Amino acid sequence: MAIRDKAFTIIRRVFKRHGAVEIDTPVFELKETLTGKYGEDSKLIYDLADQGGELLALRYDLTVPFARFLAVNAVGNIKRFHIGKVYRRDQPQLSKGRYREFYQCDFDIAGVYGRMVPDSECLAVACEILDSLPIGDFGIKLNHRRLLDAILDLCGVPADKFRTICSAVDKLDKEPWSEVRREMVEEKGLSGDVADKIGEFVVLKGKPWDLYNSLMESKSFGNHKGASEAMEDLRILFEYLEAMGKLKFISFDLSLARGLDYYTGVIYEAVCMNGNTQVGSIGGGGRYDTLVSMFQEAGKVTPCVGVSVGIERVFTLMEERLRQEQGGSIKQPNVTVLVASAGDNMLRERMKLTNVLWDANISAEFSQQENPKLKFEIANALDRQIPFMVIVGEEETKQGKCKVKDLNARTEDTVDVSDLVKTLRSKGVVPVGCEFAMEMLNSESD
Amino acid sequence: MAIRDKAFTIIRRVFKRHGAVEIDTPVFELKETLTGKYGEDSKLIYDLADQGGELLALRYDLTVPFARFLAVNAVGNIKRFHIGKVYRRDQPQLSKGRYREFYQCDFDIAGVYGRMVPDSECLAVACEILDSLPIGDFGIKLNHRRLLDAILDLCGVPADKFRTICSAVDKLDKEPWSEVRREMVEEKGLSGDVADKIGEFVVLKGKPWDLYNSLMESKSFGNHKGASEAMEDLRILFEYLEAMGKLKFISFDLSLARGLDYYTGVIYEAVCMNGNTQVGSIGGGGRYDTLVSMFQEAGKVTPCVGVSVGIERVFTLMEERLRQEQGGSIKQPNVTVLVASAGDNMLRERMKLTNVLWDANISAEFSQQENPKLKFEIANALDRQIPFMVIVGEEETKQGKCKVKDLNARTEDTVDVSDLVKTLRSKGVVPVGCEFAMEMLNSESD
């Protein structure tokens, strides 16, 4: 939970500096709202029992509730974020990071805006989050739904097979081309020639401008209208991402297809890297211009683009790194200061001192026993890696003093209680809720 | 949501400085776990549909899941907090702050510890939270279940009527004594004499030591064993609360009974005050030493004490105060800086500048339109009360400069882009996530 809290704090900070407002929708929706939005995954929706009243179901993701929210409240434009739990009626597989209940962190921009402007900000947000989280290297694979459709069209795939061929293409990050080709030909009825043509395109990937320029120079798409428009979208997007310093994280990848049907424009997927090897997806998103229309009166359109961070995977990565840093353990002390005493009947003195620390927002505790032995308290602090102890005895109490023990530096100072907070702060103790600010101020003064 | 976020940040900070670890339990429990814990309120539990697999229900509070967690994981002692949603299958009454889905913020200490030590820390946590939240004056009413039982015993109430008479007493904060007496006599079959004797006790309230001493001096409870033990608990508790500087918030109130059956020791309820008038409950708790046993093998006992903050009420109070401060509106700008430009085709320049601010954790946005007119942008910033604008024109871009417009001070400076962050910081712009730290540092330097 400490790792989760850290991740959420970082993510929330990025969302907020982009001026997104937080919106919370209820954990359950009317059953009919969720029906027909998730294809065959609909069987994973958790329904509530019919105890009278409306038929309800637990939300399956945060996107459909957001679309419903926009339509019901007639919100035409908004930049919002939502961190919340979603539910899948699935057999949990903890090893694969599959749970029945898990968090999603979504950022979406709805509204009619400059071409590719909100798309570029969603990607900037994704880059900033992944760059701020302690999860190592990452990259973002990017493609365009309409470019993919154009490729299939140019290769001779009939329009009604676009989606099913797309989902075959989408498997290219897990399966070799030969297997994907087999699926296209044997299961989905393409001719070998058509499949081979597709194969020439979908192996293409590279730095955004490199692949863009090479596709343009080779006139790969002829004058196909959809392809031209998609390529123009990408040209504008790359320029914007360059202006925001984010293009370095992007890879233009013609094999990226994304499973969900509702995407209508640019699509992307964030992957974490170990050197040059991709080791798993940690989020994704894209443009979905037609989803909100499903809840609106006919003819009304609310274009949207968004990104969702797959946070369970992030927790695992953060945990792994912490384990490496700490030599196998992810244990961290729950307090910075343990207040102890020498001699009996000093509980109230410990309470008074601890209260001084609480007032200064320093995390501290005293033993909940009346008369713990000091030597056990010291052993306790060492065992739990609590970095500081404040120790008071009868003599110190009379003089308004206490001892400050730095367990890492192995020093001990006797100070006036009125100087206690100042002393601890000078030894690097950071008040609760000030960790990030202190880090920032320190890096600024470097 | 901005108000919520602020409240949660404050509450979380207090929990953490007390060294509590955060625990999250699933939003649904096995149905049988919740059965038989809430008396007649059980009808408000939301069940999940039987779609195969276990029978599940949505959690009704955070205490029963916590007790189940302790028993299942054989956790004998822990100091934990939990901020989460709970569910009631009720008709929502927004005016009364009654919802189907709402947050609870719980802090509990489980384990065998020094007498009244964890109880005093739970009360300290409650006081610190309510003192830190911008909700005005508050007080905490405190009583002891066993003292109440002793009083009923001394007055001649048979033991099997303790709980039902307790719940009559509990209505004294809403109804006059005459009405409560009528209920005791007419509905619950007490004699008038017995009711009158109860009446003499339950009107007593006052400062902790005042009432304690007056009860001890008048030997009100004779040598009743339960009463003596409860009074000794309270004496120890008051001493501890005094040591932690929290006794000033406490009122010892013999009319406080609390509805739930599972309390076994000290009980308390936080109320917000308008002058000397109590205007509503904002939390409460107490000791519950037997609840965990219901999930454990026979004979095993895990004593617990906890406090729960009723956060929906807190949101309302914070909103009211903000509305007063801002003259009716609770609107707050979603960003600190709006980046705008003079002249066309400057979108990428705006993006570059905004990115500089994002990198420094300053909340900023640019218009999502390609070429918004500057005068509309200024009107937009004024309307949304965004305090700063950064403006760039073709000329400034060439020189690596930009303008910083302080809309409150009505000043405008031209600065190097490399000094932009420094300039904004010097004008009081606080990076996202550093609000509290800056406040603390400023108050320290005063």
Side-chain angles (χ1 to χ4, degrees):
Chain A
M1 285 301 296
I3 290 176
R4 278 186 192 208
D5 186 34
K6 192 175 173 186
F8 287 145
T9 303
I10 291 173
I11 292 171
R12 191 177 282 270
R13 195 188 299 143
V14 175
F15 288 157
K16 280 188 177 177
R17 74 186 180 216
H18 281 263
V21 295
E22 187 166 8
I23 284 181
D24 189 18
T25 63
V27 85
F28 31 60
E29 293 280 340
L30 289 179
K31 190 167 157 47
E32 63 192 55
T33 299
L34 305 188
T35 305
K37 307 296 184 301
Y38 301 106
E40 64 175 32
D41 281 353
S42 290
K43 67 177 186 296
L44 300 182
I45 294 174
Y46 261 118
D47 295 334
L48 294 197
D50 184 358
Q51 298 165 293
E54 306 94 334
L55 288 181
L56 301 170
L58 294 179
R59 65 186 173 207
Y60 181 85
D61 67 4
L62 301 178
T63 308
V64 169
F66 174 59
R68 194 262 313 149
F69 168 88
L70 291 178
V72 167
N73 297 289
V75 176
N77 60 75
I78 192 170
K79 191 194 283 184
R80 85 89 170 79
F81 74 94
H82 189 178
I83 298 178
K85 285 178 176 173
V86 301
Y87 299 87
R88 308 272 162 102
R89 203 170 64 81
D90 205 351
Q91 274 313 313
Q93 286 187 267
L94 272 55
S95 60
K96 291 192 187 166
R98 242 165 70 187
Y99 304 86
R100 287 182 174 172
E101 169 180 75
F102 55 92
Y103 280 101
Q104 288 194 338
C105 302
D106 280 25
F107 174 94
D108 295 80
I109 301 176
V112 179
Y113 292 120
R115 185 172 182 180
M116 304 315 285
V117 183
D119 314 63
S120 67
E121 187 165 0
C122 285
L123 280 159
V125 162
C127 292
E128 287 175 36
I129 286 176
L130 298 174
D131 203 27
S132 310
L133 289 168
I135 54 170
D137 291 337
F138 70 96
I140 292 188
K141 299 195 287 187
L142 186 142
N143 199 0
H144 198 297
R145 247 312 150 77
R146 293 178 64 201
L147 187 62
L148 213 49
D149 287 352
I151 290 171
L152 298 182
D153 190 22
L154 287 166
C155 294
V157 179
D160 61 356
K161 285 196 174 160
F162 283 2
R163 287 288 76 80
T164 181
I165 297 302
C166 252
S167 53
V169 170
D170 200 40
K171 292 175 186 157
L172 271 177
D173 60 344
K174 295 184 198 80
E175 294 172 2
W177 166 247
S178 57
E179 177 54 31
V180 171
R181 184 184 185 282
R182 193 202 55 75
E183 180 179 330
M184 287 179 177
V185 176
E186 293 178 20
E187 292 175 26
K188 298 187 167 164
L190 287 196
S191 76
D193 283 358
V194 171
D196 289 336
K197 277 194 209 161
I198 297 172
E200 283 168 35
F201 280 105
V202 297
V203 293
L204 300 175
K205 61 181 81 173
K207 291 186 180 169
W209 286 129
D210 291 352
L211 181 53
Y212 175 87
N213 289 328
S214 107
L215 288 169
M216 291 303 277
E217 277 157 27
S218 64
K219 299 198 194 323
S220 310
F221 311 117
N223 52 7
H224 190 283
K225 189 161 169 288
S228 306
E229 284 174 9
M231 287 296 278
E232 179 62 6
D233 273 358
L234 291 173
R235 188 191 62 76
I236 298 171
L237 179 64
F238 294 160
E239 280 194 351
Y240 292 164
L241 288 172
E242 209 159 31
M244 291 190 278
K246 304 299 191 283
L247 199 62
K248 61 186 175 198
F249 299 116
I250 309 288
S251 142
F252 181 12
D253 187 333
L254 289 184
S255 74
L256 179 73
R258 305 267 312 154
L260 287 170
D261 280 3
Y262 57 59
Y263 291 118
T264 57
V266 66
I267 47 178
Y268 31 84
E269 183 168 317
V271 291
C272 45
M273 313 289 289
N274 192 347
N276 280 321
T277 320
Q278 171 189 330
V279 291
S281 167
I282 39 175
R287 176 163 283 282
Y288 51 101
D289 283 348
T290 51
L291 184 63
V292 184
S293 303
M294 298 174 76
F295 303 103
Q296 265 168 337
E297 47 190 295
K300 230 173 142 187
V301 175
T302 307
C304 293
V305 57
V307 64
S308 178
V309 177
I311 191 74
E312 310 295 331
R313 179 90 207 169
V314 164
F315 297 152
T316 313
L317 288 167
M318 285 174 72
E319 204 180 301
E320 275 167 18
R321 285 173 74 90
L322 193 62
R323 216 179 276 281
Q324 274 170 21
E325 278 167 29
Q326 301 198 353
S329 160
I330 56 160
K331 240 170 80 177
Q332 293 198 296
N334 63 322
V335 287
T336 311
V337 183
L338 178 64
V339 178
S341 55
D344 277 356
N345 300 318
M346 298 293 288
L347 176 52
R348 277 185 288 167
E349 298 308 323
R350 296 204 302 276
M351 286 175 165
K352 279 180 199 169
L353 281 175
T354 312
N355 195 55
V356 169
L357 301 177
W358 288 337
D359 275 348
N361 264 298
I362 291 172
S363 77
E365 68 174 30
F366 50 83
S367 164
Q368 303 268 341
Q369 309 297 345
E370 277 108 345
N371 290 311
K373 290 271 172 279
L374 180 56
K375 64 174 180 185
F376 292 133
E377 290 283 81
I378 296 175
N380 177 16
L382 286 168
D383 178 51
R384 290 163 58 199
Q385 296 174 21
I386 298 173
F388 292 94
M389 289 185 77
V390 168
I391 303 174
V392 62
E394 225 169 298
E395 206 48 45
E396 283 95 355
T397 302
K398 280 182 201 150
Q399 299 169 1
K401 288 182 185 296
C402 61
K403 283 186 184 143
V404 174
K405 204 176 170 73
D406 182 331
L407 294 168
N408 294 324
R410 294 165 185 252
T411 60
E412 191 173 276
D413 306 283
T414 301
V415 301
D416 279 348
V417 171
S418 57
D419 290 331
L420 176 58
V421 169
K422 209 167 60 187
T423 305
L424 286 167
R425 293 283 293 276
S426 75
K427 288 173 183 289
V429 171
V430 175
V432 174
C434 299
E435 298 79 2
F436 172 68
M438 296 295 171
E439 228 173 82
M440 260 193 73
L441 291 177
N442 287 342
S443 71
E444 277 176 14
S445 65
D446 282 351
Chain B
M1 285 303 295
I3 290 177
R4 279 186 192 208
D5 186 33
K6 191 175 174 186
F8 287 145
T9 305
I10 292 173
I11 292 170
R12 192 177 282 270
R13 195 189 298 145
V14 175
F15 288 158
K16 281 189 178 177
R17 75 186 181 216
H18 280 262
V21 294
E22 187 165 9
I23 285 181
D24 190 17
T25 62
V27 85
F28 31 59
E29 293 280 340
L30 290 178
K31 191 168 155 49
E32 62 191 57
T33 300
L34 304 187
T35 305
K37 306 297 184 302
Y38 302 106
E40 63 175 33
D41 280 353
S42 291
K43 67 178 186 297
L44 300 182
I45 295 174
Y46 262 118
D47 295 335
L48 294 198
D50 184 357
Q51 297 167 292
E54 307 95 333
L55 289 181
L56 301 169
L58 295 179
R59 67 187 171 205
Y60 181 85
D61 67 5
L62 302 178
T63 309
V64 169
F66 174 58
R68 194 262 314 149
F69 168 87
L70 292 178
V72 167
N73 297 291
V75 176
N77 59 74
I78 193 169
K79 191 194 284 185
R80 87 88 170 78
F81 75 94
H82 189 177
I83 297 177
K85 284 179 176 174
V86 300
Y87 299 87
R88 309 271 161 103
R89 202 169 63 82
D90 206 351
Q91 274 313 313
Q93 287 187 266
L94 272 56
S95 59
K96 291 191 186 165
R98 242 164 70 188
Y99 303 87
R100 286 181 175 175
E101 169 179 76
F102 56 92
Y103 279 101
Q104 287 194 337
C105 303
D106 280 24
F107 175 94
D108 295 80
I109 302 177
V112 179
Y113 291 120
R115 186 172 182 180
M116 305 314 287
V117 183
D119 313 62
S120 67
E121 187 164 0
C122 285
L123 280 159
V125 162
C127 292
E128 286 175 37
I129 286 176
L130 298 174
D131 203 27
S132 309
L133 289 168
I135 55 170
D137 291 337
F138 72 94
I140 292 187
K141 299 196 286 187
L142 186 143
N143 200 2
H144 198 299
R145 247 312 149 76
R146 292 178 63 202
L147 186 63
L148 213 49
D149 287 352
I151 289 170
L152 299 182
D153 190 22
L154 286 166
C155 293
V157 179
D160 62 356
K161 286 196 173 161
F162 282 3
R163 287 288 76 79
T164 181
I165 296 302
C166 252
S167 54
V169 169
D170 200 40
K171 293 175 185 157
L172 272 177
D173 61 344
K174 295 184 198 79
E175 295 172 3
W177 165 247
S178 57
E179 177 54 30
V180 171
R181 183 184 186 281
R182 194 200 55 73
E183 179 179 331
M184 288 180 177
V185 176
E186 292 178 21
E187 293 175 27
K188 299 188 166 165
L190 288 195
S191 77
D193 282 358
V194 170
D196 288 337
K197 276 195 210 161
I198 298 172
E200 282 169 35
F201 280 105
V202 296
V203 292
L204 299 175
K205 61 181 82 174
K207 290 187 180 170
W209 286 129
D210 290 353
L211 181 53
Y212 175 86
N213 289 328
S214 107
L215 287 170
M216 290 305 276
E217 276 158 27
S218 64
K219 300 197 193 321
S220 309
F221 310 117
N223 52 7
H224 189 284
K225 189 162 169 289
S228 305
E229 284 174 9
M231 286 297 278
E232 179 62 5
D233 273 359
L234 292 174
R235 186 190 65 74
I236 297 170
L237 179 65
F238 294 161
E239 278 193 353
Y240 292 164
L241 288 172
E242 209 160 30
M244 291 190 278
K246 304 299 192 283
L247 199 61
K248 62 186 172 195
F249 298 117
I250 309 289
S251 142
F252 181 11
D253 187 333
L254 289 184
S255 74
L256 179 73
R258 305 270 307 157
L260 287 170
D261 281 5
Y262 58 57
Y263 291 119
T264 56
V266 66
I267 47 178
Y268 31 83
E269 184 167 316
V271 290
C272 45
M273 313 288 289
N274 191 347
N276 281 319
T277 320
Q278 171 189 328
V279 292
S281 167
I282 40 174
R287 177 163 282 282
Y288 52 100
D289 282 349
T290 52
L291 184 62
V292 183
S293 303
M294 299 174 76
F295 302 104
Q296 265 168 335
E297 50 191 290
K300 228 173 142 187
V301 175
T302 307
C304 293
V305 57
V307 64
S308 178
V309 177
I311 191 72
E312 309 296 329
R313 179 88 206 170
V314 164
F315 297 152
T316 313
L317 288 167
M318 285 173 72
E319 204 179 301
E320 276 167 18
R321 285 173 74 91
L322 192 63
R323 216 178 276 281
Q324 274 168 22
E325 278 167 29
Q326 300 198 355
S329 161
I330 56 161
K331 238 170 81 176
Q332 295 197 295
N334 62 322
V335 288
T336 311
V337 183
L338 179 64
V339 178
S341 56
D344 277 356
N345 300 319
M346 297 293 288
L347 176 52
R348 277 185 288 166
E349 298 308 323
R350 297 204 302 276
M351 286 175 164
K352 281 180 198 167
L353 281 175
T354 312
N355 195 54
V356 169
L357 301 177
W358 289 336
D359 275 349
N361 263 298
I362 292 173
S363 76
E365 67 174 32
F366 50 82
S367 165
Q368 304 267 339
Q369 309 296 346
E370 278 108 346
N371 290 310
K373 289 271 172 280
L374 180 57
K375 65 175 179 184
F376 292 134
E377 290 283 81
I378 296 175
N380 178 14
L382 286 168
D383 178 51
R384 290 163 58 200
Q385 296 175 21
I386 297 173
F388 293 93
M389 289 184 77
V390 168
I391 303 172
V392 64
E394 224 168 299
E395 206 48 45
E396 284 94 353
T397 302
K398 280 182 203 152
Q399 300 168 1
K401 290 182 186 294
C402 61
K403 283 188 185 143
V404 174
K405 203 176 169 72
D406 182 333
L407 294 167
N408 295 323
R410 295 164 184 254
T411 59
E412 191 174 278
D413 306 283
T414 301
V415 302
D416 279 348
V417 171
S418 57
D419 291 330
L420 176 58
V421 169
K422 209 167 60 186
T423 305
L424 286 167
R425 292 282 294 274
S426 75
K427 288 174 183 289
V429 171
V430 175
V432 174
C434 300
E435 298 80 1
F436 172 67
M438 295 296 171
E439 229 172 81
M440 260 193 73
L441 292 177
N442 287 342
S443 72
E444 276 176 15
S445 66
D446 282 350

